[in-house]
Amino acid sequence: MGGVPEGHSGWTFLTNHARVLAAIADDPGTRIRDIAARCRLTERAVQKIISDLEQNGYLTHTRQGRSNLYRIEEGTVLRHPADAGLTVAGLLAALDQHENPHETRPRQGAGHGSDGTEESPDEDSMTATKSVHAGRHRVKS
C-alpha cells in the first residue's frame, strides 16, 4: 500500500478540500488512509487539508480509541466572496442532490424557503453520517 496516487492534469470543479469534506460527510469515522485513496491524494495531503478545515472552523474531531470521529460544523460559511452566505451544509446538500436527483428527503441546513425568505438551521453543527449508498453525501441535522 502507499505510494503517490496517479496525478490529474487540467482543472476540476471541486477542490481537494471539498473532496475531503465530502468523504468525511459520507463516513465521519473514516481513516485518513481511506480518504486519501478515495480522493486520490497522499495521506500527508489529507492530513494537511483536515488541519486546514479544523483551523478554520469547518471541522472538529474527537478521539474514539485509536480512531477519530469527525464532526462537520454546519453553519460555517464558505470562504470565497462569490459564495457569500453558502454554508458547508449547503455545499454538501448540493453535492448530494446532484448525485441523488430522484430521491426526496427533508431539506437540511440553512437556505432559502420557497418564498425566498432566509431559513436558519435548528443547530449550529451537524454530524455527518455514513450513507447507505457508497459514494453519496448525506448529512444529518
Side-chain angles (χ1 to χ4, degrees), residues 90-139:
L91 171 66
L92 293 172
L95 291 173
D96 188 39
Q97 182 179 12
H98 175 71
E99 289 186 5
N100 305 302
H102 302 294
E103 289 185 28
T104 58
R105 60 184 168 270
R107 290 188 35 153
Q108 300 165 2
H112 295 281
S114 58
D115 61 355
T117 59
E118 185 87 12
E119 295 178 349
S120 59
D122 294 334
E123 297 179 24
D124 288 338
S125 59
M126 68 178 177
T127 301
T129 58
K130 185 173 183 177
S131 171
V132 175
H133 306 288
R136 304 224 172 143
H137 316 291
R138 305 238 178 191
V139 291

Side-chain angles (χ1 to χ4, degrees), residues 12-87:
T12 63
F13 282 103
L14 298 177
T15 66
N16 290 337
H17 284 67
R19 284 188 176 89
V20 168
L21 196 65
I24 290 170
D26 279 347
D27 181 2
T30 191
R31 299 178 307 168
I32 287 176
R33 173 178 293 169
D34 296 329
I35 297 170
R38 174 178 170 167
C39 298
R40 301 178 73 177
L41 299 169
T42 64
E43 289 181 36
R44 180 67 190 120
V46 171
Q47 289 172 339
K48 172 72 169 102
I49 289 168
I50 288 173
S51 176
D52 289 346
L53 293 171
E54 287 182 323
Q55 288 175 5
N56 288 281
Y58 293 96
L59 189 66
T60 59
H61 76 273
T62 55
R63 277 307 263 180
Q64 289 193 334
R66 296 183 343 180
S67 303
N68 287 323
L69 182 65
Y70 296 98
R71 181 177 174 91
I72 296 172
E73 298 300 327
E74 177 182 274
T76 308
V77 178
L78 300 184
R79 294 170 43 115
H80 196 281
D83 300 325
L86 181 61
T87 63

